[in-house]
Amino acid sequence: MLARIRSAAVLGIDAYLVDVETDIATGLPSFTTVGLPQGAVKEGRERVGAALVNSGFELPLRRITVNLAPADIRKEGSAFDLPIALGILCATGQLNGTASGVEASPDLAGANHPPARSPGQPPCDSSAQPRSVADYLIIGELGLEGDVRPVRGTLPIALAAKRAGLTGVVVPVHNLAEAGVVDGIAVLGAATLGEVTAFFSADGPLAAAPAGGRGGRLRGGPRSDLDLAEVRGQEQAKRALEIAAAGSHNLLMIGPPGSGKTMLARRIPGILPQLTVDEALETTKVHSVAGLLPPGSSLVTVRPFRAPHHTISDAGMIGGGSYPRPGEVSLAHSGVLFLDELPEFRKNVLEVLRQPLEDGSVTIARASTSLCYPARFMLAAAMNPCPCGWFGCRDRACTCGAVGVQRYVSRLSGPLLDRIDLHVHVPAVPYKDLSVERSGEPSATVRERVNNARDVQLARFAGNDGIYANAHMRPDHLRRHCRVTERADALLKTAIVRLRLSARAYHRVLKIARTIADLDTSARILPPHVGEAVQYRSLDRPLA
């Protein structure tokens, strides 16, 4: 007796279909799972057996073989519990084989596996047609009492079911909001194994996700409660934060202890634009695979802000493990990665940032597999100018000496600094600025200008997948969108020659100038835009 249930597994941040084939044969009682099952998949037989019995069904005392096809890809996680349980019920006739899409031997039901709906065919109404297990993709972890518990990667799995042209997907009810953001397919949530069997017996309903809508920019959602108005002084640094947020540019702040570098960085989320729906989907897929989405949540609507400690390993930063998981650079995708005390990070940890800063993705290769995770984030970093922190300060004397300062700064390699767009000095705040009662510009006002600039960029890059801001531009976009006037070109040429900027730094100056022009609602890049962009390359000249 054989039954086949459609399920799925996650590889990277995408999912692929898995056929859960269950065979019940004569022989000594046994329960074997094949198809490269790992850890939780192997242990699933104990959960499935207890869940079936405690839900009022029978676990046959026969030889049970479960094959997870394709069998040459390693399977992880507990999401196969529910399809395995349904496979056993279908193969033993405890769930109607004909209505369940069972491929059985002639002594069971003789039903053939019904063909899946073609991708171009609209989803059908499950209440108006016979419900066949073959038309649904099913995932879920089982508790010993038969309750269906949440699993990771529900969003990419629902997307895979839609691409496969299936009628619907059955997920744990706690994952219903997450999977429900996928349009064009019926998304159903189950709380218990009994609810699922009742649904496919055509005498019980399942909770359905409301039809969603995609397109444009997400609205609403919580904002950071940290406001730029709380920061006294530091007008130049605030301006740099606005430019960085408007164009998603990387930012490095250099200043003595207590000058407000960390305070400024933690207020970046409050001025960032709201996520677009496409950005939110990409970000949610990463967090779903990493298991960071709270139960009952749907899309990630707030840009991530990740601030790892400087003792982090390179695997923690970039991702890794025997079966690679996303690292901090991927968890910060579409958001901010803040590295405080940048030179204190180990050199190998900093150097692994070079590829994701340039490519917007990271590839993790292991002997068993090679995975690619998205990693297009805005890097915000802070550092002291020297080990004692007082180099260049008017009121305190530096005790490090020229050699000590140079050795400290050289912990950051040239190629890494070349990939950071804005180098900003954050001097100590004078007493007159600290004691003044007048507050600065609130984050809401700055965010409005940032949103206007980002809307211009979204219109500019419409139709270019993965490009949402000026910092993401490729060389062909620079030639098309970064046209400068003759005077601006002359100024840019002088700066490039005198500062001896690399080709990458030249391109980054153009991107910053384009963002400044967008903030000024200027179609052309003018000399003031180039001049302001060049001044943010302070580490291309001696630190002072």
Side-chain angles (χ1 to χ4, degrees), residues 1 25 31 44 125 167 184 338 368 542:
M1 296 174 286
F31 195 139
D125 183 2
T167 298
F338 175 49
S368 58

Side-chain angles (χ1 to χ4, degrees), residues 12 63 96 98 114 130 143 147 163 167 196 232 257 286 298 303 317 382 385 388 402 410 465 478 502-504 513:
R63 182 179 176 183
N96 190 313
T98 303
D147 52 315
R163 288 194 300 268
T167 298
V196 181
R232 297 291 188 264
V286 175
S298 56
R303 293 186 182 272
M317 181 68 77
C388 76
S410 64
D465 291 339
L478 288 173
S502 67
R504 181 186 291 114

Side-chain angles (χ1 to χ4, degrees), residues 58-81:
E58 293 183 4
L59 180 66
L61 297 178
R62 305 179 73 177
R63 182 179 176 183
I64 304 173
T65 304
V66 176
N67 178 44
L68 306 177
D72 59 344
I73 303 177
R74 187 166 71 169
K75 318 297 188 309
E76 284 197 345
S78 55
F80 296 112
D81 290 359

Side-chain angles (χ1 to χ4, degrees), residues 339-384:
L339 304 183
D340 204 0
E341 304 298 342
L342 187 64
E344 302 303 326
F345 285 80
R346 289 194 288 268
K347 192 174 184 65
N348 62 312
V349 174
L350 293 179
E351 293 307 305
V352 298
L353 292 173
R354 286 158 60 173
Q355 180 203 347
L357 283 175
E358 192 71 20
D359 300 337
S361 62
V362 57
T363 302
I364 306 171
R366 295 292 182 268
S368 58
T369 186
S370 179
L371 299 178
C372 183
Y373 288 111
R376 192 176 293 283
F377 55 90
M378 171 184 161
L379 175 65
M383 62 176 285
N384 295 327

